[in-house]
Amino acid sequence: MTENAQQQPPAPDSELPTQYAPAEVEGPLYERWVERGYFEADAKSEKPPYTIVIPPPNVTGSLHLGHAFQHTLMDALTRRKRMQGFESLWLPGMDHAGIATQNVVERELGKEGKSRHDLGREAFVERVWQWKDEYGGKILGQMRRLGDGVDWSRERFTMDEGLSQAVQTIFKRLYDDELIYRAERIINWCPRCLTAISDIEVEYQDDDGELVSMKYGEGDDTIVVATTRAETMLGDTAVAVHPDDERYKHLVGRRIKLPLTDRTIPVVADTHVDPEFGTGAVKVTPAHDPNDFAIGQRHDLESLTVMDERGVITVHGPFEGLDRFEARSAIVAALRADGRIVAEKRPYVHSVGHCSRCKTTVEPRLSMQWWVKVAPLAKAAGDAVRDGRVKIHPQEMEKRYFDWVDNLHDWCISRQLWWGHRIPVWYGPDGEVVCVGPDEEPPSGEGWTQDSDVLDTWFSSGLWPFSTLGWPEQTPDLKKFYTTDVLLTGHDIIFFWVARMMMFGLYAMDGEVPFKTIALTGLVRDQFGKKMSKSSGTAVDPLDWMNAYGSDAVRFTLAKGANPGTDVPIGEDWVQASRNFANKLWNATRFALMNGATIEGDLPPAEQLSATDRWILSRLNETVAEVDALYDDFQFAKLSDALYHFAWDEVFDWYVELSKTTFMAGGEPAEVSKRVLGEVLDVTLKLLHPIVPFVTETLWTTLTGGESVVIADWPKAVLVPGADAPGGFRDAAAEKEIETLQQVITEVRRFRADQGLQPGQRVPARLTLDGTALASHEAAIRQLLRLQPEGDTFAATATLPVGGATVALDLSGTIDIAAERKRLAKDLAAAEKERQQAEAKLGNEAFLAKAPDNVVEKIRGRLAKADEDITRIKTQLDGLPEA
């Protein structure tokens, strides 16, 4: 917090406007928070640290609902911890997003009729930096709109000077420890992006293709193989069969003619081949298939590359220069003309890999690349979860994590791009290879060149939890805020990002884990649970909803759907409902202020509190305990729901309404209730603040005159003088008493509604409350139920025994008794029939043995509902006079 902020607390408004206008409040309020330094963390503080680093959004990105969802939850965690007295750091930043950003700038160049090669590497990279400075980081402004309480003074970028030093440092260390190496392997190649991509950047989908079976060899040497990629046969260097397959034993070791070429290829025996699949023989193309590459390694086969980086055929005259898909058709036609085609199946639906960024069909390709030897790193990442140093929440997600880290292949980290961290390796004129650290001078002189590739984006973002805190320097930030507390992210990038941070964090920080808890969320879906997409018209720009309903409404809706690890449905109707909740908070607080609610002075002693006061304070303490427990378990949906129902149902719909009678009567009880109402609102607004920060800030500062709820103390259990108890004040008797009062009011309201009475219509009534806990609540009951005194001509036409009390109503002249009896008799018959049907099914052993559990539970619910309806209707009939 800045010194200026401490000296100049804001003056609270004397009153609230009649309506809440989020658009007028949110922007200025956020800037005030930032100016006063509320979100800035102090590495010198004696407070315990609490750290979250933001999953860095791409510099090309803009705020989408997934971002808004995760940012809401991270903001809620850090705001609460700040209020609890922690030195709370939520560190922001962006990822340079190698392929995505380069593609954006290349498209811009294309509009000018240029390519990156026209500019050259240095000028192109400068152009990308210009684009980043002008257009990148759009999402950062949108984060302010959402209310993200991040420490902007510590904003980082994966290509900034400090993070670039971290990248070069860890590359050098891994290289020196022989955990980074260069080798020729099969990689996933994107002919559109012209770069290698990792396995996790390949999206598989079922495509319509063709399965072609063709004859290799001549006469007795004939063997049939099948493929979906006929164009690769030009690079075949063997046919493989299983060593125990009797059909082909005579061919193993012999060479056969490869169609359409002047080459012969060997038949090899390999246990990888499944003799039961197809013909039991497979073509082997080591340069264009990962399984074939492995066979080639085992049998010392030649690897022939037959396509260039754009997927164009580079060999064999008639097909040279054809695109891979054009070549496929041409080669099948040539084989057909040569009598080599045995069978063709079209369409043949099979799984095909596509580049996750541009959707181009990926081409397996033999290529010289840089790799991380992941086995020892992945073992450490798995052990950290197994031994409990890192918790995965929800726990059932551990299996997915272990399935991944326990089966990791070496990671291809080089990319054939110009935008990114260039690999710090130089090659000399005589075959020298030198890896250069950040404090070392690269070799110079004639013939020395730096590797032209850059590192995979996930390499630098894998360092994020410690590089953003100043590593490799031993900075005060690193000492104070590492290990970070929570990594909150979607379960969909547990492989992309989480595992990489675990591996690098443990390696770079000498076994210290990068975070204590991995809290995995689901993905945001539409209200029907389907994936949102632009093509289907279901994609939503959260800024549209924020502009229409306010940021708090969007945040509260997202938090209410956040069950750990499960997807989050969201619809505009739900955002409207959350806007209504914000308005309810506003109107109820405004009413309370107009009626003198205050936080001044201590709470009155227990003996001065009415049952209603004791009830709401008891319920308040229960809510504080419940919300704390749910926060610690990352149960955002449940804690949001608990706060919603406590605030709306118990505080506003019951306590405020019950207090109106007290306020109207005046005197000491009214003064006591004003202080209790102030306390309840103070605590409730604090509890709600991390999720709905804007409206609660405005209401809390007005109610209390405090500087800001952002830096207020997190609520603890409320203590009542003279009634101290472990965990704060609780009063089970008062809770039971008000529960009975609620039952009476609810039942009579329902009866009134069933009789067709208007909510404001007054009805004469006689209340028999003597000897019950409700004796002191007659004024409130009459006020809330619109019940007049009975008068001299009172005639009880309906009598309702409820909650130990009796409410007799005079409905003469307001309803047609005969018609009402007829209607109720019809409803009773329907309810009894429903009960009979449900009882019959539940009594049928054959049905119970076959029916799913959820069906049986549904029928039990129908039975309970029927019993409830029968009791209610009979009570209403008993309360009506004879027609």
PDB file of all heavy atoms in Angstrom, residues 292-303:
ATOM      1  N   ASP A 292       7.354 -47.128 -37.947  1.00  0.00           N
ATOM      2  CA  ASP A 292       8.271 -47.613 -38.980  1.00  0.00           C
ATOM      3  C   ASP A 292       9.707 -47.187 -38.679  1.00  0.00           C
ATOM      4  O   ASP A 292      10.661 -47.928 -38.959  1.00  0.00           O
ATOM      5  CB  ASP A 292       7.857 -47.077 -40.347  1.00  0.00           C
ATOM      6  CG  ASP A 292       6.535 -47.653 -40.824  1.00  0.00           C
ATOM      7  OD1 ASP A 292       5.914 -48.420 -40.058  1.00  0.00           O
ATOM      8  OD2 ASP A 292       6.097 -47.319 -41.935  1.00  0.00           O
ATOM      9  N   PHE A 293       9.852 -45.982 -38.103  1.00  0.00           N
ATOM     10  CA  PHE A 293      11.195 -45.521 -37.743  1.00  0.00           C
ATOM     11  C   PHE A 293      11.821 -46.466 -36.727  1.00  0.00           C
ATOM     12  O   PHE A 293      13.006 -46.822 -36.816  1.00  0.00           O
ATOM     13  CB  PHE A 293      11.123 -44.098 -37.185  1.00  0.00           C
ATOM     14  CG  PHE A 293      12.456 -43.552 -36.742  1.00  0.00           C
ATOM     15  CD1 PHE A 293      13.377 -43.092 -37.662  1.00  0.00           C
ATOM     16  CD2 PHE A 293      12.788 -43.515 -35.389  1.00  0.00           C
ATOM     17  CE1 PHE A 293      14.616 -42.587 -37.255  1.00  0.00           C
ATOM     18  CE2 PHE A 293      14.019 -43.028 -34.971  1.00  0.00           C
ATOM     19  CZ  PHE A 293      14.929 -42.554 -35.904  1.00  0.00           C
ATOM     20  N   ALA A 294      11.005 -46.900 -35.751  1.00  0.00           N
ATOM     21  CA  ALA A 294      11.510 -47.825 -34.734  1.00  0.00           C
ATOM     22  C   ALA A 294      11.907 -49.167 -35.358  1.00  0.00           C
ATOM     23  O   ALA A 294      12.938 -49.754 -35.007  1.00  0.00           O
ATOM     24  CB  ALA A 294      10.453 -48.029 -33.651  1.00  0.00           C
ATOM     25  N   ILE A 295      11.083 -49.649 -36.296  1.00  0.00           N
ATOM     26  CA  ILE A 295      11.440 -50.892 -37.004  1.00  0.00           C
ATOM     27  C   ILE A 295      12.739 -50.695 -37.779  1.00  0.00           C
ATOM     28  O   ILE A 295      13.623 -51.552 -37.781  1.00  0.00           O
ATOM     29  CB  ILE A 295      10.295 -51.317 -37.948  1.00  0.00           C
ATOM     30  CG1 ILE A 295       9.051 -51.715 -37.139  1.00  0.00           C
ATOM     31  CG2 ILE A 295      10.743 -52.464 -38.849  1.00  0.00           C
ATOM     32  CD1 ILE A 295       7.835 -52.030 -37.996  1.00  0.00           C
ATOM     33  N   GLY A 296      12.845 -49.554 -38.435  1.00  0.00           N
ATOM     34  CA  GLY A 296      14.053 -49.251 -39.203  1.00  0.00           C
ATOM     35  C   GLY A 296      15.301 -49.237 -38.338  1.00  0.00           C
ATOM     36  O   GLY A 296      16.369 -49.720 -38.749  1.00  0.00           O
ATOM     37  N   GLN A 297      15.170 -48.689 -37.109  1.00  0.00           N
ATOM     38  CA  GLN A 297      16.305 -48.667 -36.197  1.00  0.00           C
ATOM     39  C   GLN A 297      16.722 -50.083 -35.804  1.00  0.00           C
ATOM     40  O   GLN A 297      17.911 -50.389 -35.715  1.00  0.00           O
ATOM     41  CB  GLN A 297      15.922 -47.878 -34.931  1.00  0.00           C
ATOM     42  CG  GLN A 297      15.698 -46.388 -35.145  1.00  0.00           C
ATOM     43  CD  GLN A 297      16.993 -45.634 -35.340  1.00  0.00           C
ATOM     44  OE1 GLN A 297      17.423 -45.411 -36.467  1.00  0.00           O
ATOM     45  NE2 GLN A 297      17.620 -45.253 -34.252  1.00  0.00           N
ATOM     46  N   ARG A 298      15.722 -50.942 -35.570  1.00  0.00           N
ATOM     47  CA  ARG A 298      16.032 -52.313 -35.145  1.00  0.00           C
ATOM     48  C   ARG A 298      16.664 -53.134 -36.263  1.00  0.00           C
ATOM     49  O   ARG A 298      17.423 -54.076 -35.995  1.00  0.00           O
ATOM     50  CB  ARG A 298      14.761 -53.002 -34.648  1.00  0.00           C
ATOM     51  CG  ARG A 298      14.256 -52.457 -33.319  1.00  0.00           C
ATOM     52  CD  ARG A 298      13.188 -53.356 -32.716  1.00  0.00           C
ATOM     53  NE  ARG A 298      11.927 -53.304 -33.431  1.00  0.00           N
ATOM     54  CZ  ARG A 298      10.949 -52.445 -33.169  1.00  0.00           C
ATOM     55  NH1 ARG A 298      11.104 -51.523 -32.209  1.00  0.00           N
ATOM     56  NH2 ARG A 298       9.812 -52.473 -33.839  1.00  0.00           N
ATOM     57  N   HIS A 299      16.354 -52.791 -37.517  1.00  0.00           N
ATOM     58  CA  HIS A 299      16.822 -53.615 -38.637  1.00  0.00           C
ATOM     59  C   HIS A 299      17.814 -52.877 -39.534  1.00  0.00           C
ATOM     60  O   HIS A 299      18.127 -53.356 -40.640  1.00  0.00           O
ATOM     61  CB  HIS A 299      15.623 -54.098 -39.462  1.00  0.00           C
ATOM     62  CG  HIS A 299      14.684 -54.985 -38.686  1.00  0.00           C
ATOM     63  ND1 HIS A 299      14.906 -56.329 -38.514  1.00  0.00           N
ATOM     64  CD2 HIS A 299      13.540 -54.701 -38.005  1.00  0.00           C
ATOM     65  CE1 HIS A 299      13.924 -56.842 -37.782  1.00  0.00           C
ATOM     66  NE2 HIS A 299      13.085 -55.866 -37.452  1.00  0.00           N
ATOM     67  N   ASP A 300      18.292 -51.726 -39.038  1.00  0.00           N
ATOM     68  CA  ASP A 300      19.310 -50.962 -39.773  1.00  0.00           C
ATOM     69  C   ASP A 300      18.860 -50.643 -41.203  1.00  0.00           C
ATOM     70  O   ASP A 300      19.611 -50.814 -42.169  1.00  0.00           O
ATOM     71  CB  ASP A 300      20.638 -51.731 -39.790  1.00  0.00           C
ATOM     72  CG  ASP A 300      21.817 -50.833 -40.148  1.00  0.00           C
ATOM     73  OD1 ASP A 300      21.700 -49.610 -39.919  1.00  0.00           O
ATOM     74  OD2 ASP A 300      22.823 -51.344 -40.666  1.00  0.00           O
ATOM     75  N   LEU A 301      17.612 -50.181 -41.310  1.00  0.00           N
ATOM     76  CA  LEU A 301      17.066 -49.849 -42.625  1.00  0.00           C
ATOM     77  C   LEU A 301      17.405 -48.410 -43.006  1.00  0.00           C
ATOM     78  O   LEU A 301      17.547 -47.535 -42.149  1.00  0.00           O
ATOM     79  CB  LEU A 301      15.539 -50.016 -42.624  1.00  0.00           C
ATOM     80  CG  LEU A 301      15.005 -51.408 -42.312  1.00  0.00           C
ATOM     81  CD1 LEU A 301      13.476 -51.372 -42.247  1.00  0.00           C
ATOM     82  CD2 LEU A 301      15.478 -52.415 -43.355  1.00  0.00           C
ATOM     83  N   GLU A 302      17.469 -48.150 -44.282  1.00  0.00           N
ATOM     84  CA  GLU A 302      17.689 -46.797 -44.775  1.00  0.00           C
ATOM     85  C   GLU A 302      16.412 -45.971 -44.557  1.00  0.00           C
ATOM     86  O   GLU A 302      15.307 -46.488 -44.647  1.00  0.00           O
ATOM     87  CB  GLU A 302      18.033 -46.848 -46.271  1.00  0.00           C
ATOM     88  CG  GLU A 302      18.379 -45.505 -46.869  1.00  0.00           C
ATOM     89  CD  GLU A 302      18.693 -45.590 -48.363  1.00  0.00           C
ATOM     90  OE1 GLU A 302      18.519 -46.697 -48.941  1.00  0.00           O
ATOM     91  OE2 GLU A 302      19.086 -44.565 -48.942  1.00  0.00           O
ATOM     92  N   SER A 303      16.573 -44.679 -44.255  1.00  0.00           N
ATOM     93  CA  SER A 303      15.439 -43.772 -44.108  1.00  0.00           C
ATOM     94  C   SER A 303      15.441 -42.800 -45.277  1.00  0.00           C
ATOM     95  O   SER A 303      16.353 -41.977 -45.411  1.00  0.00           O
ATOM     96  CB  SER A 303      15.530 -42.989 -42.795  1.00  0.00           C
ATOM     97  OG  SER A 303      15.416 -43.842 -41.682  1.00  0.00           O
TER      98      SER A 303
END
